[in-house]
Amino acid sequence: AIVLTKIGGVSFLGTYTLVISLIVPIGFIIGSAREIKIISLFLNNKDFSFLEIEMYNLIKSSIILFSIFSILYWATGFNLIIYIIFFFSNLSLIYLGAIMRVNNEFNFSYLIFFKMLFTTAFCFLAAMQNELYYLAFSDILLVCIFSFKILIKIKSLDFKVFIPNFSNFSISYFSNSLAINADKIIVSLISIELLGIYSLILQFI
């Protein structure tokens, strides 16, 4: 947040905050909170291998769709596509984190550490070029590096995993994410610059 504000300005930070605030609640609908279910099954000592395979399949699909929409974005310059790009990169990162967490808590911390390094590094590039795409790219790149060996073993690819499965849908997590981000969405209606200032204050809090 500090890097984005220092180089790109509060409006740039505000735009980034708005994108994240909108895609997180949407992710809980389309993603059906699968990462919540896989952790719940693990805690209850049930078999979660089928969910793990499904989530890796979803990560692989996300990477492909991320690439397709990236090409569309750079070809057309249509700004709304950036929301779709961020959605796929964010969803992949969440699912990879969930899988790593149930296997080994240290691996999850390891992923978060590199997420911090990648985000900080790409913040400079994003702010200097005034282009949010690079922040989404940093997430998908991290996912590719951490899951490459496993993803190449999966020969089948089922895009139907993106179809909402409401038996896995968590109303509480969706409503919580919506409530947490509602203030940012409302502030954005007043001013993107004001949202950037508000977001910066929240970081310090």
Side-chain angles (χ1 to χ4, degrees):
I2 296 169
V3 171
L4 288 178
T5 305
K6 187 70 176 176
I7 303 175
V10 287
S11 294
F12 188 65
L13 175 63
T15 305
Y16 173 64
T17 304
L18 178 61
V19 171
I20 298 299
S21 299
L22 289 172
I23 67 168
V24 171
I26 293 170
F28 275 114
I29 298 175
I30 300 176
S32 306
R34 284 177 175 85
E35 80 284 359
I36 298 163
K37 188 165 185 177
I38 194 173
I39 292 173
S40 297
L41 287 171
F42 176 75
L43 291 172
N44 291 301
N45 296 316
K46 296 178 182 178
D47 178 38
F48 64 95
S49 57
F50 74 96
L51 267 177
E52 190 174 30
I53 293 170
E54 182 187 278
M55 288 167 72
Y56 271 122
N57 200 353
L58 196 146
I59 291 171
K60 195 170 187 176
S61 302
S62 294
I63 293 170
I64 292 171
L65 291 169
F66 177 93
S67 302
I68 292 171
F69 280 101
S70 293
I71 294 170
L72 285 173
Y73 176 67
W74 288 111
T76 64
F78 189 46
N79 286 329
L80 286 180
I81 297 178
I82 200 71
Y83 286 84
I84 302 172
I85 291 171
F86 262 97
F87 170 74
F88 288 125
S89 64
N90 185 260
L91 203 63
S92 295
L93 194 63
I94 289 172
Y95 287 154
L96 178 61
I99 293 167
M100 295 185 74
R101 193 167 195 171
V102 296
N103 287 315
N104 189 312
E105 187 72 26
F106 176 77
N107 287 343
F108 178 70
S109 300
Y110 191 62
L111 175 68
I112 295 302
F113 173 75
F114 276 93
K115 158 69 176 168
M116 179 189 69
L117 293 181
F118 270 58
T119 301
T120 304
F122 278 86
C123 266
F124 283 97
L125 182 60
M128 289 175 67
Q129 298 293 323
N130 193 33
E131 181 57 72
L132 284 173
Y133 173 84
Y134 296 115
L135 286 172
F137 180 76
S138 71
D139 284 350
I140 210 74
L141 180 62
L142 189 67
V143 170
C144 289
I145 292 171
F146 271 80
S147 59
F148 177 74
K149 289 183 179 179
I150 298 168
L151 290 175
I152 58 174
K153 294 178 183 178
I154 302 174
K155 295 181 180 179
S156 63
L157 189 62
D158 187 6
F159 284 94
K160 288 188 294 183
V161 292
F162 285 107
I163 299 174
N165 181 353
F166 289 99
S167 63
N168 293 338
F169 178 63
S170 172
I171 295 175
S172 60
Y173 275 86
F174 166 71
S175 58
N176 181 59
S177 65
L178 189 62
I180 288 172
N181 291 291
D183 57 337
K184 303 177 189 69
I185 296 170
I186 292 169
V187 172
S188 72
L189 297 175
I190 303 170
S191 168
I192 286 293
E193 185 174 319
L194 183 61
L195 177 59
I197 296 169
Y198 179 59
S199 177
L200 195 61
I201 293 169
L202 289 177
Q203 304 305 317
F204 284 100
I205 293 174

